[in-house]
Amino acid sequence: MGLSGRRRTKNGVCRPERSITEGHGYYMIVGIDLGTTNSLVAYYTEDGPKIIPNRLGKNLTPSVVSVDGEGNVYIGETAKERMSLYPDSVAHTFKRSMGTEREYVLSGRHFKPEELSSMVLRSLKEDAEIFLGEPVTEAVISVPAYFDDKRRKATKRAGELAGLKVERMISEPTAAAVAYGLYDKTLDTRFLVFDLGGGTFDVSILELYHNILEVRAVAGDNYLGGEDFTQVMQKLFLQKAKLQISSLSEKEQVRLYRQAEKAKRAVNDADRVTMSFLYKESTIEQQITYREYEEACEELLMKIREPVKKSLADAKLRLSDIDEVLLIGGATRLSVVRDFLIRLFRKFPDTKLNPDETVALGAAVQAAMKERREEVKEVILTDVCSFTLGTEVVVEYEEGRFEDGRFCPIIERNTVIPASHTERLYTVRDNQEKMRVRVLQGESRFARNNLFLGELNIEVPKGPKGQEAIDVTYTYDINSLLEVEVKAVSTGESRKMIIKGEENQMSDEEIKKRMEELAYLKVQPRDYEENKLVLLRAERLYEEALGDRRKKLDYYITAFESALKRGDHDDIMDTRNALNDIMEAEED
């Protein structure tokens, strides 16, 4: 698409003339960071990406929505202010529930997370149109790198509900890397992008060589962020004041949380902070030291460590191989987080850009690339598949004995996308007439623990088991669209589907179970504690491994499970010891 030149507005802001696309009129593509706590919109100028201020003149718009009894909708600071007065009319941190069927009730009206997100997006769109003086119909929206397919599709639906065309979503760490200007560096460099926002946490490892910025690995936690550090401060105050959260009214809980948020920020610059709270017409004050707060945050800090280790392992790198650590997300401002990261990485992270604004600026650069703007140096951005994609299979654990419900990876996590992989599967019964392919996403060896995305069935000719086969091909693109093709080898007949995540026919109970953290394993209990411990450890290592390492572990795990089913004590001991030896080597 071309540009028709430049123009200067009456307020002196230099911005591009409207982009032209044949047959579709005029529009500008903006970059949006749809955050858990705050959201931003940015655009690209001659001087680089710039944040667009909202109607209040502020760069950050709180991701808060309120609806009053008459159906009036309030967004951002106004909605946040209503929280203390009308807590039952306000929703926040709904980004954490994207892709689920959870509903928020505001003044008696029901809303899904993507509907609430669409209201925030519409507000950003309107602010951008007023600032730019022209229609805004298309956007590049950032999403956490660890968002799965349903969460990404829910984000896209939110954009469409807001009147935006969302052809491209960019992972937040990739957007941050672009904003930091990594594409301008001349030397090959490896970066670890540490993204701790208000409600989600991502770690991404990127490598820059020539003009290619490649994501090597991602890991994270969709339920960890700055909000959790506020809750730690709140809990610490309640303990010192000898109060129970259940004894507080809804309004008092909102007031306490606000005070905890202030105290969390204040302790950044002091050895101690005094937190005050009005409780039943009496003011309660408690002094909290930085050391006390740091100790109380220890569990959260340990949760941060695991995704860092996992991303390095998947990228086959050590900490010493990382040239630069970049911090993004508002929660990285916390001293308790930065002190921990300096100890963890043994170096001072790069903090030259505002961590609250970095992702939006990067999304604006990506929007400019999409517009083919001449000012933007051409750079190839690659992304990875955040979770393993596979199907359910039957495995033979000993001659003539089969077990169904096992997971067969086809595209493993952290595979550079777009990618296309094929797996050949065979019939398991004599005279089998049909083969079913259940499309799954996750890391567990057991199909039931992974996220169900869709299903295809195909007929095959009758014959002895193992004679007929199908080729299952998964093709995953950068917009998180998964094409599944199933082809019968002997007949050439094929079936194809594209997983868009638009339909959801599961019950609320199923959704709750299947949308839990995919990295956590649910294992059926075994009779003996030692055997349970070995299996749990083995399952964890299997999820952390990839490729041949994963296959090797699966072989020894299957042998141990087979021994457990037979109940032979000596066989159990031998296979358990063999599995332990393999796991020791894997851990080392």
Side-chain angles (χ1 to χ4, degrees):
M1 78 188 62
L3 291 176
S4 56
R6 294 279 173 184
R7 61 189 173 95
R8 181 166 295 277
T9 66
K10 60 185 179 182
N11 63 1
V13 177
C14 187
R15 61 177 183 259
E17 190 68 79
R18 295 167 180 168
S19 302
I20 303 175
T21 179
E22 185 176 354
H24 294 285
Y26 301 95
Y27 67 89
M28 168 177 281
I29 306 177
V30 296
I32 294 178
D33 174 10
L34 180 62
T36 306
T37 306
N38 295 294
S39 296
L40 307 86
V41 58
Y43 76 121
Y44 200 84
T45 75
E46 289 176 330
D47 301 319
K50 302 290 183 184
I51 301 295
I52 296 175
N54 61 24
R55 61 202 70 186
L56 300 177
K58 297 182 179 181
N59 287 357
L60 301 182
T61 297
S63 301
V64 184
V65 175
S66 178
V67 179
D68 66 18
E70 297 178 356
N72 297 309
V73 178
Y74 307 87
I75 308 293
E77 292 285 350
T78 311
K80 193 173 181 180
E81 194 63 39
R82 285 176 55 84
M83 195 181 300
S84 298
L85 300 172
Y86 312 103
D88 64 342
S89 74
V90 181
H92 60 97
T93 64
F94 37 81
K95 179 178 175 178
R96 284 182 164 181
S97 300
M98 290 290 277
T100 73
E101 290 300 309
R102 178 180 174 180
E103 286 194 341
Y104 293 79
V105 182
L106 308 183
S107 299
R109 293 175 171 84
H110 295 255
F111 300 94
K112 292 182 178 180
E114 56 260 45
E115 293 171 333
L116 296 172
S117 293
S118 74
M119 296 177 193
V120 175
L121 289 171
R122 183 175 291 278
S123 178
L124 296 174
K125 177 181 184 291
E126 291 172 356
D127 289 339
E129 288 177 334
I130 292 171
F131 180 82
L132 296 170
E134 60 185 80
V136 173
T137 59
E138 187 171 349
V140 172
I141 300 180
S142 66
V143 291
Y146 216 54
F147 256 24
D148 63 16
D149 186 71
K150 289 199 171 183
R151 288 180 169 92
R152 288 172 184 258
K153 291 309 166 190
T155 304
K156 186 175 182 181
R157 284 199 299 274
E160 291 166 351
L161 287 171
L164 290 167
K165 183 180 180 182
V166 187
E167 285 192 351
R168 176 72 192 270
M169 287 181 286
I170 184 171
S171 293
E172 290 168 3
T174 305
V178 171
Y180 266 87
L182 301 188
Y183 54 88
D184 285 331
K185 292 183 180 286
T186 55
L187 300 176
D188 293 351
T189 317
R190 291 193 185 103
F191 304 88
L192 187 147
V193 180
F194 184 95
D195 179 6
L196 187 63
T200 58
F201 170 47
D202 283 328
V203 178
S204 292
I205 295 175
L206 301 97
E207 186 167 3
L208 177 74
Y209 54 96
H210 303 299
N211 68 329
I212 299 175
L213 183 61
E214 179 179 316
V215 180
R216 291 282 302 276
V218 298
D221 189 331
N222 289 325
Y223 299 98
L224 176 62
E227 302 278 343
D228 300 285
F229 286 86
T230 303
Q231 289 172 12
V232 168
M233 182 64 79
Q234 176 179 281
K235 186 177 179 181
L236 201 53
F237 176 86
L238 289 170
Q239 289 173 346
K240 281 178 166 279
K242 294 181 172 56
L243 290 173
Q244 297 293 327
I245 191 72
S246 57
S247 68
L248 308 184
S249 68
E250 206 169 357
K251 289 186 178 181
E252 286 172 334
Q253 289 181 32
V254 172
R255 286 203 304 269
L256 177 61
Y257 188 85
R258 287 196 173 206
Q259 292 303 112
E261 180 70 26
K262 290 180 181 178
K264 178 187 76 173
R265 299 184 182 193
V267 82
N268 257 5
D269 305 312
D271 291 333
R272 63 190 68 240
V273 64
T274 300
M275 184 173 162
S276 301
F277 171 56
L278 182 62
Y279 176 63
K280 300 192 186 303
E281 301 183 358
S282 298
T283 299
I284 300 175
E285 291 189 348
Q286 291 295 330
Q287 200 171 76
I288 298 171
T289 67
Y290 178 81
R291 181 60 183 162
E292 288 173 330
Y293 181 58
E294 187 177 42
E295 289 177 354
C297 290
E298 189 65 27
E299 184 177 344
L300 291 179
L301 297 174
M302 288 303 102
K303 289 179 72 175
I304 284 173
R305 186 190 297 268
E306 288 309 310
V308 173
K309 289 170 59 179
K310 184 177 180 181
S311 63
L312 287 167
D314 283 359
K316 298 179 175 62
L317 297 173
R318 295 168 297 180
L319 267 176
S320 58
D321 297 322
I322 301 299
D323 300 305
E324 200 166 340
V325 177
L326 312 180
L327 299 188
I328 61 172
T332 60
R333 295 179 185 274
L334 299 176
S335 295
V336 67
V337 173
R338 290 200 178 183
D339 290 346
F340 174 76
L341 294 180
I342 291 169
R343 295 194 301 269
L344 178 63
F345 296 127
R346 302 186 187 93
K347 64 177 67 177
F348 286 92
D350 189 329
T351 57
K352 67 182 179 184
L353 286 185
N354 184 330
D356 288 314
E357 300 177 356
T358 309
V359 170
L361 294 173
V365 175
Q366 177 62 47
M369 290 178 182
K370 195 173 185 302
E371 284 184 318
R372 302 185 186 279
R373 295 282 295 274
E374 294 178 3
E375 307 95 318
V376 182
K377 180 180 176 181
E378 188 64 31
V379 60
I380 299 170
L381 299 177
T382 75
D383 214 332
V384 294
C385 183
S386 302
F387 295 94
T388 298
L389 295 163
T391 188
E392 182 176 353
V393 295
V394 175
V395 297
E396 186 172 8
Y397 61 88
E398 60 183 38
E399 189 174 353
R401 302 187 69 178
F402 297 89
E403 180 181 4
D404 60 8
R406 295 288 286 274
F407 181 59
C408 172
I410 296 179
I411 297 179
E412 292 196 293
R413 72 168 186 268
N414 288 324
T415 297
V416 175
I417 56 176
S420 184
H421 290 180
T422 301
E423 189 78 19
R424 180 162 291 187
L425 305 177
Y426 295 85
T427 54
V428 293
R429 298 190 310 274
D430 291 337
N431 297 317
Q432 187 171 334
E433 298 180 71
K434 184 181 294 185
M435 295 183 72
R436 180 184 67 171
V437 174
R438 300 184 74 239
V439 185
L440 305 170
Q441 181 182 56
E443 307 303 328
S444 175
R445 293 168 61 237
F446 299 101
R448 65 179 179 273
N449 295 337
N450 293 322
L451 183 68
F452 175 76
L453 298 180
E455 183 177 300
L456 272 177
N457 291 279
I458 190 167
E459 293 183 355
V460 294
K462 292 182 180 180
K465 66 179 181 181
Q467 176 176 296
E468 294 298 324
I470 58 173
D471 284 336
V472 182
T473 301
Y474 283 13
T475 303
Y476 196 59
D477 81 350
I478 203 162
N479 292 311
S480 301
L481 291 178
L482 173 63
E483 180 188 82
V484 179
E485 182 176 15
V486 180
K487 184 176 183 180
V489 175
S490 63
T491 65
E493 182 182 358
S494 65
R495 295 281 184 274
K496 186 183 293 187
M497 69 184 299
I498 294 178
I499 306 293
K500 295 182 179 180
E502 297 293 338
E503 299 83 19
N504 195 328
Q505 299 177 352
M506 295 184 293
S507 68
D508 290 344
E509 185 177 349
E510 287 175 321
I511 292 167
K512 184 179 179 181
K513 289 180 180 178
R514 293 177 184 176
M515 292 303 293
E516 289 176 351
E517 284 280 41
L518 292 174
Y520 291 109
L521 184 64
K522 290 166 273 186
V523 181
Q524 292 182 349
R526 295 295 193 263
D527 294 332
Y528 299 101
E529 188 68 22
E530 186 174 4
N531 293 338
K532 285 197 293 183
L533 181 61
V534 169
L535 281 174
L536 284 170
R537 183 185 177 201
E539 296 291 352
R540 173 178 62 81
L541 289 173
Y542 176 88
E543 292 190 5
E544 294 172 356
L546 292 173
D548 291 339
R549 291 162 56 209
R550 177 177 269 187
K551 291 177 182 177
K552 188 174 183 180
L553 277 167
D554 183 63
Y555 173 83
Y556 283 92
I557 296 170
T558 302
F560 181 45
E561 289 178 326
S562 179
L564 286 174
K565 289 178 180 178
R566 289 192 299 271
D568 186 297
H569 180 266
D570 292 337
D571 200 8
I572 290 173
M573 290 285 290
D574 291 340
T575 54
R576 186 174 66 204
N577 289 338
L579 178 56
N580 273 324
D581 290 342
I582 292 297
M583 291 192 294
E584 289 296 332
E586 183 71 14
E587 294 268 45
D588 290 340

